[in-house]
């Protein structure tokens, strides 16, 4: 074993999050001992957050190719062809650890980072969605986290002028010490003008543009690759501070570069800052980069090369100009008031060489940092408690005795209740592209200059993944597909954010591997490519891990735009039809958690072929304009879905409708019929004259379909017949009462003194 230099002790190596074995790999790559700056560079690039060292071998199982794919994984974001010479560029990222330590800035800089991933590709961002997980709101700390995160998201998005058009929020105490903040962004670019993070052309100039570099965020990537403990509050210096007004200028500057064809490549300085952007650009291109940190604009005095290379200050980009175009780049930056500096050049030796004036302070092969880090196939084993989690004797549970009270309780559950308290803080109309506002199955934005629209949704059910990670993964894909189908869209691509605990634990890796397998199989079945994504490990505190939480951001194409659907009923007298079959699926339901205090059982079993038939049926009905509304059955089951259809679509013309419903138990438990979460079901409303054709189309697609009622004024009325006992259960509630309980739930918890 090589002896360490005096200043690189075992403690220093450990402080940098590296194992002794990894340190020896560094020596092998360099052919010598690293200096402290080089050790810092390796520590951030070989962190879990940047290197994906525990997940990369498993992520290869995801399908990444398809007819729409323009750019798959490996770039700042993925891109899919939407026709008319345009591409949609999108990605989802996590900012979990920073948001727990400092919720406002953690969430705000998460928005800033994902926006830069999009406009770095040359695309103008037109939509944001956020997928959030918090502990239950009876805790003041959880309320503080929610308020801080929502404020950070709204502040950054509203200031930069990109609408937050949708998302999802789930509440469970397992997230009290590890909230999840996942942010999705989508932008539009001309397909043949897509920019990439390349450093090609030996001798080409490397430029730094954007905010000055400070000491904020140093070792942020390393912090995001570690579990929390009692000292987590001391990590506040690792959380960056954002400036959305500067980012708006940076966005316009980057798009002007594109318009004038000035760049070879460009990359955001995200996690690991200048280090990651330089080595990744060089590695992708098979070149090298030489930088002089003495030329980096700094906002703090006496910053060392170590600090400059590892800083994660926000709103900064690294770019390579085309030959002779560097002065044009600088002129555009001056016009917009953006700092810019020539900091280096492209070389041909494959090295990232960092100088301070004429002194070399770091010299590392780019591939060693970006592509040749550790790869671990960690031990995988189901947890000993898995059988206990899946065991549920439904017959031992008392069936629901007051379905009206149960329905109201579910509508008030923060996970199901209206998120208006959250999204009213977002400007979701800026840019005037938004067609379907937050609160429906999926957000929809128009593509200006075309007759098309894009639908977007974020989905994931962590309780399903806890009980059966493989099935949880497949169900997440299926729900995303249903949500898009209910807006009239055809899925064309997906991005994933995989949030898990400590990968060094075999039970956590088992959850991860099985969930990835489930996502991969379902995406293949639907022929939907995964074009980008993110893995967030170490979401645990004091050994208590979050539930496995894979979140999908799926994008669908609506063509023509006249096919757009929403979930709310539209007209009194329309017939209500249930597509799909209800089974006794109570395991893992929100009903079971809320009314029986259990998170147990097997999640609903998904038959992919059944789900595909339902999707085909929805496409046919949509194309033939036979639908007035559509809403998928998910959390809360059929009764909640029907109530939500009555509560309207949260656009400017929200109208409440009632419903008259007649159901038969058909041998099911009453609670399974009303609140079970059987997948592959959609509630639609149709004009009376179209009912026969709708039922015929469903039959042709081999999809069970049944008229279960009609739309009426004011009252939500449901009768359930039990043919075996000849008893009838009734729910009869004014729709306004349903709306009030559902709409005020979050506000009553968050605005009470």
């Amino acid at each position: 074993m090589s002896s360490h230099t005096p200043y690189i002790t075992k403690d220093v190596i450990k402080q940098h999050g590296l194992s002794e074995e990894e340190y020896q790999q560094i020596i092998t790559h360099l052919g010598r001992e690293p200096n402290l700056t080089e050790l810092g560079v390796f520590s951030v690039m070989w962190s879990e957050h940047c290197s994906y060292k525990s997940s990369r071998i498993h992520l290869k199982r995801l399908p990444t190719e398809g007819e729409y794919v323009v750019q798959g994984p490996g770039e700042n974001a993925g891109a899919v062809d939407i026709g008319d010479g345009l591409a949609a560029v999108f990605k989802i990222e996590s900012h979990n650890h920073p948001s727990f330590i400092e919720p406002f800035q953690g969430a705000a800089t998460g928005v800033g980072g994902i926006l830069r991933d999009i406009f770095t590709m040359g695309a103008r961002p037109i939509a944001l969605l956020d997928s959030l997980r918090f502990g239950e709101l009876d805790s003041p700390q959880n309320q503080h986290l929610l308020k801080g995160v929502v404020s950070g998201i709204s502040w950054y998005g509203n200031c930069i002028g990109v609408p937050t058009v949708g998302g999802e929020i789930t509440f469970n105490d397992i997230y009290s010490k590890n909230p999840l903040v996942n942010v999705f962004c989508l932008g539009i670019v001309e397909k043949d003008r897509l920019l990439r993070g390349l450093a090609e052309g030996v001798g080409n100039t490397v430029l730094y543009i954007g905010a000055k570099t400070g000491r904020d965020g140093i070792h942020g990537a390393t912090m995001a690759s570690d579990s929390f403990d009692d000292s987590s509050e001391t990590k506040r210096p690792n959380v960056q501070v954002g400036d959305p007004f500067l980012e708006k200028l940076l966005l316009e500057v980057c798009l002007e570069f594109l318009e004038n064809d000035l760049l070879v490549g460009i990359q955001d300085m995200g996690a690991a800052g200048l280090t990651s952007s330089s080595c990744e650009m060089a590695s992708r291109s098979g070149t090298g980069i030489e930088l002089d940190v003495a030329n980096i604009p700094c906002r703090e005095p006496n910053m060392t090369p170590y600090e400059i290379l590892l800083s994660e200050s926000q709103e900064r980009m690294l770019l390579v100009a085309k030959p002779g175009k560097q002065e044009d780049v600088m002129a555009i930056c001056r016009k917009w008031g953006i700092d810019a500096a020539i900091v280096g050049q492209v070389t041909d030796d494959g090295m990232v060489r960092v100088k301070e004036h004429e002194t070399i302070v770091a010299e590392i092969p780019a591939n060693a940092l970006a592509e040749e880090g550790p790869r671990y196939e960690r031990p995988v084993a189901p947890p000993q408690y898995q059988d206990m989690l899946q065991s549920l004797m439904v017959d031992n549970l008392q069936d629901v005795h007051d379905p009206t009270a149960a329905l109201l309780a579910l509508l008030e559950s923060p996970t199901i209740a209206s998120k208006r308290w959250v999204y009213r803080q977002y400007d979701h109309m800026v840019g005037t592209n938004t067609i379907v506002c937050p609160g429906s199955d999926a957000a929809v934005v128009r593509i200006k200059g075309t007759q098309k629209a894009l639908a977007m949704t974020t989905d994931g059910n962590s309780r399903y993944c806890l009980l059966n990670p493989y099935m949880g993964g497949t169900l997440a894909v299926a729900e995303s597909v249903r949500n898009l189908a209910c807006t009239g869209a055809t899925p064309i691509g997906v991005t994933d954010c995989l949030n898990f605990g400590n990968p060094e634990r075999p039970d956590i890796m088992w959850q991860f591997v099985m969930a990835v397998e489930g996502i991969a199989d379902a995406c293949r079945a639907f022929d939907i490519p995964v074009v980008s994504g993110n893995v967030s490990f170490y979401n645990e505190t004091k050994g208590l891990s979050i539930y496995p939480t894979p979140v999908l951001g799926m994008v669908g194409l609506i063509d023509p735009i006249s096919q757009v659907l929403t979930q709310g009923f539209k007209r009194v007298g329309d017939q209500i039809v249930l597509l799909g079959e209800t089974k006794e699926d109570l395991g893992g339901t929100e009903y079971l958690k809320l009314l029986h205090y259990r998170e147990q059982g097997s999640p609903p079993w998904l038959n992919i072929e059944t789900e595909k038939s339902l999707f085909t049926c929805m496409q046919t009905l949509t194309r033939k304009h036979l639908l007035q509304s559509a809403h998928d059955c998910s959390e809360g089951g059929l009764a909640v879905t029907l109530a939500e259809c009555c509560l309207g679509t949260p656009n400017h013309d929200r109208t409440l409708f009632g419903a008259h419903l007649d159901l038969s138990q058909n041998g099911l438990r009453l609670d399974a019929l009303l609140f079970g979460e059987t997948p592959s079901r959609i509630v639609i409303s149709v004009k009376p004259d179209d009912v026969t054709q709708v039922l015929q189309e469903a039959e042709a697609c081999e999809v069970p379909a049944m008229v279960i009622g009609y739309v009426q004024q004011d009252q939500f009325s449901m009768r359930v017949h039990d043919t075996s006992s000849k008893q009838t259960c009734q729910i009869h509630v004014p729709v306004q009462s349903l709306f009030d309980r559902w709409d005020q739930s979050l506000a009553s918890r968050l605005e009470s003194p």
Side-chain angles (χ1 to χ4, degrees):
M1 177 183 292
S2 175
S3 59
H4 302 323
T5 56
Y7 49 84
I8 298 185
T9 65
K10 288 186 177 181
D11 283 344
V12 170
I13 295 169
K14 185 177 180 181
Q15 288 166 11
H16 281 75
L18 294 164
S19 68
E20 182 66 31
E21 292 75 16
E22 289 169 344
Y23 184 75
Q24 293 304 314
Q25 290 181 49
I26 292 171
I27 293 174
T28 300
H29 282 295
L30 294 178
R32 57 177 170 78
E33 295 266 347
N35 61 38
L36 188 60
T37 298
E38 291 168 332
L39 185 73
V41 166
F42 271 106
S43 75
V44 291
M45 288 307 299
W46 283 12
S47 68
E48 190 72 59
H49 189 72
C50 290
S51 73
Y52 290 60
K53 56 189 174 185
S54 299
S55 60
R56 186 173 290 206
I57 60 172
H58 303 292
L59 296 177
K60 291 180 179 179
R61 302 172 186 180
L62 296 169
T64 59
E65 297 178 350
E67 63 174 307
Y68 296 102
V69 176
V70 177
Q71 176 63 58
E75 266 290 346
N76 290 295
V80 294
D81 190 342
I82 58 173
D84 294 306
L86 301 175
V89 179
F90 57 93
K91 188 181 183 183
I92 190 169
E93 278 273 8
S94 63
H95 233 222
N96 303 334
H97 287 64
S99 298
F100 174 66
I101 295 169
E102 212 302 296
F104 181 91
Q105 286 295 347
T109 52
V111 174
I114 195 66
L115 284 165
R116 289 193 301 279
D117 282 337
I118 301 307
F119 67 75
T120 297
M121 302 288 289
R124 180 174 291 278
I126 63 168
L128 289 160
L129 290 85
D130 48 81
S131 177
L132 311 175
R133 301 289 185 277
F134 297 100
E136 303 287 358
L137 292 178
D138 52 4
S139 159
Q141 171 67 3
N142 292 335
Q143 293 185 26
H144 163 73
L145 290 170
L146 172 61
K147 291 177 179 178
V149 164
V150 170
S151 295
I153 291 170
S154 64
W155 174 70
Y156 208 102
N158 292 355
C159 288
I160 198 171
V162 178
T164 301
V165 296
E168 53 155 5
I169 311 179
T170 294
F171 297 90
N172 190 299
D173 268 337
I174 201 68
Y175 300 105
S176 292
K177 292 293 185 182
N178 290 95
L180 302 184
V181 178
N182 296 177
V183 185
F184 168 101
C185 186
L186 179 141
I188 302 296
V189 66
E190 292 180 27
K191 185 176 65 172
D192 58 357
R193 306 193 72 181
L194 202 66
L195 289 173
R196 292 175 171 85
L198 300 175
E200 296 175 338
V202 174
N204 281 341
T205 301
V206 177
L207 296 101
Y208 169 116
I209 68 169
K212 290 182 169 66
T213 295
R215 291 187 171 93
D216 52 327
I218 292 174
H219 272 296
T222 310
M223 178 268 290
S225 306
D226 198 5
S227 302
F228 281 150
D229 53 31
D230 290 333
S231 66
S232 296
E233 286 293 313
T234 65
K235 297 178 181 177
R236 283 185 186 273
N238 293 125
V239 179
Q240 312 94 316
V241 176
D243 182 350
F245 303 105
L246 177 59
E247 178 133 331
K248 171 62 174 173
L249 298 178
L250 197 60
L251 186 160
E252 298 301 337
V253 162
C254 290
L255 296 182
E256 191 164 335
F257 293 157
L258 174 69
E259 186 67 27
N260 290 280
D261 195 23
L262 301 179
L263 301 183
V264 171
I266 183 170
Q267 178 128 339
D268 167 41
M269 292 189 211
L274 183 60
T275 291
S276 63
S277 55
S278 57
C279 73
E280 288 174 1
M281 291 176 78
S283 178
R284 285 191 196 107
S285 307
T287 59
I289 282 184
E290 184 172 287
L291 300 171
D292 189 343
V293 293
N295 295 330
I296 300 291
C298 294
R299 68 168 183 263
E300 298 183 47
N302 304 316
M303 288 189 69
T304 66
Y306 181 104
E307 293 171 325
I308 292 170
L309 288 170
L310 271 60
S311 168
E312 294 184 8
S313 295
Q314 295 288 286
E315 293 90 33
R316 304 178 302 155
M317 319 285 279
L318 194 69
L319 53 90
V320 176
K322 287 190 171 181
K325 298 294 186 181
Q326 58 267 27
E327 288 305 320
D328 294 335
V329 170
M330 300 281 280
I332 290 172
C333 289
R334 284 192 296 270
K335 184 182 82 170
W336 288 93
I338 291 288
D339 283 319
I342 294 174
V343 296
Q345 63 180 351
V346 178
T347 63
D348 63 358
D349 59 5
M351 304 294 287
V352 174
R353 186 174 297 105
V354 183
K355 294 181 175 181
E356 188 175 34
H357 299 297
E358 295 303 316
T359 303
I360 295 176
V361 296
E363 194 170 27
I364 306 172
N367 274 350
L369 293 171
E371 296 295 334
E372 297 175 6
R375 297 286 180 269
Y376 296 129
E377 189 159 1
R378 297 194 183 276
V380 173
Q384 295 180 353
Y385 53 77
Q386 197 67 33
D387 288 344
M388 181 273 293
L389 282 175
Q390 292 183 342
S391 64
L392 176 68
M393 298 297 292
V394 175
D395 291 342
N396 293 338
L397 297 177
Q398 181 181 6
D399 203 342
V400 61
H401 66 278
D402 187 344
T404 301
L407 173 60
L408 292 172
L410 281 164
L411 289 173
E412 279 189 313
S413 166
T415 293
I416 291 176
S418 168
K419 307 305 185 295
R420 188 171 64 89
W421 183 91
V422 173
Y423 64 70
R424 72 185 183 191
Q425 300 180 52
Y426 304 149
D427 186 342
H428 46 265
M429 294 304 295
V430 61
T432 65
N433 292 312
T434 309
I435 297 174
V436 178
C437 296
S440 198
D441 283 310
V444 179
V445 295
R446 68 171 52 85
I447 307 303
K448 287 179 178 172
T450 76
Q451 293 300 310
K452 299 175 181 177
L454 290 175
M456 293 156 277
T457 182
T458 55
D459 290 294
N461 189 309
S462 59
R463 197 156 49 237
Y464 292 168
C465 289
L466 173 71
L467 301 176
N468 185 324
Y470 176 86
M471 190 54 61
T474 63
L475 286 164
V477 175
E479 183 178 355
S480 296
V481 171
R482 278 198 307 279
N483 280 335
L484 294 183
C486 288
T487 64
T490 299
I492 56 175
V494 70
T495 179
D496 56 21
C497 195
L498 308 176
N499 307 273
F500 289 79
N502 185 344
E504 297 164 46
R505 288 172 44 183
D507 57 326
I508 300 299
M509 276 309 297
W510 176 79
Q511 292 174 337
F512 178 82
V513 171
M514 297 303 292
V516 169
E517 290 277 10
I519 293 169
D521 286 350
C523 283
R524 282 195 186 88
F526 284 104
D527 195 23
I528 306 171
V530 180
V531 297
S532 60
N534 174 59
V535 176
S536 175
F537 277 133
Y538 294 100
N539 292 289
E540 71 171 33
T541 297
K542 294 184 179 180
L544 180 63
S545 170
I546 63 165
Y547 290 168
T549 312
V551 174
L552 303 181
M554 192 175 288
V555 176
L557 181 64
I558 303 175
D559 184 14
I561 202 170
S562 59
Q563 291 184 173
V564 171
L565 294 166
T566 55
Q567 69 185 41
F569 292 145
K570 301 298 186 296
R571 196 179 65 168
V572 171
D574 282 345
Q575 299 292 290
I576 302 169
V577 178
L578 174 63
L579 300 177
E581 182 182 1
T582 301
K583 300 179 181 178
E584 198 157 279
D585 288 310
L586 287 172
T589 59
E590 186 70 10
Y591 162 79
L592 206 63
K593 171 182 178 284
L594 189 68
L595 278 82
H596 290 278
Y597 312 104
R598 293 174 181 246
E599 295 184 273
Q600 281 182 275
S602 293
W605 192 262
L606 177 72
N607 183 309
I608 287 284
E609 294 306 315
T610 299
E611 190 75 45
K612 287 172 67 176
S613 297
L614 178 65
F615 175 67
T616 300
C617 179
M618 282 296 297
Q619 284 190 307
T620 300
L621 297 176
T622 301
R623 188 172 60 251
K624 295 185 176 182
H625 297 282
L626 294 172
L627 302 179
Q628 292 283 82
S629 69
H631 186 24
D632 86 302
C633 289
S634 55
E635 287 167 317
L638 179 59
V640 167
T641 300
L642 289 163
E644 289 172 340
C645 292
C646 292
L647 303 180
T649 300
N651 283 15
H652 301 297
D653 59 346
R654 179 196 288 276
T655 303
L656 303 185
F657 285 96
H660 179 90
L661 302 152
D662 279 288
L663 301 172
S664 174
Q665 283 186 237
N666 291 326
L668 294 174
R669 288 172 57 106
L670 181 59
D671 53 7
L673 172 67
L674 297 178
F675 309 119
E677 296 176 6
T678 303
S680 310
R681 295 182 299 164
I682 293 175
V683 170
I684 59 175
S685 64
V686 301
K687 295 176 181 177
D689 291 346
D690 292 333
V691 170
T692 299
Q693 186 177 355
V694 166
L695 296 178
Q696 289 172 347
E697 297 288 356
E699 184 178 11
C701 294
E702 298 183 345
V703 172
M706 178 185 300
V707 177
I708 58 173
Y710 56 86
V711 180
Q712 63 179 11
Q713 296 278 13
D714 302 332
Q715 296 293 318
F716 183 83
S717 303
M718 179 184 290
R719 292 187 299 180
V720 181
H721 309 280
D722 184 350
T723 53
S724 60
S725 65
K726 297 184 180 179
Q727 293 181 339
T728 300
C729 153
Q730 294 197 28
I731 298 175
H732 192 75
V733 190
V735 172
Q736 188 64 51
S737 298
L738 294 180
F739 178 81
D740 291 343
R741 299 283 285 268
W742 172 79
D743 184 61
Q744 296 300 314
S745 177
L746 278 188
S748 65
R749 289 168 166 84
L750 295 167
E751 296 177 355
S752 57

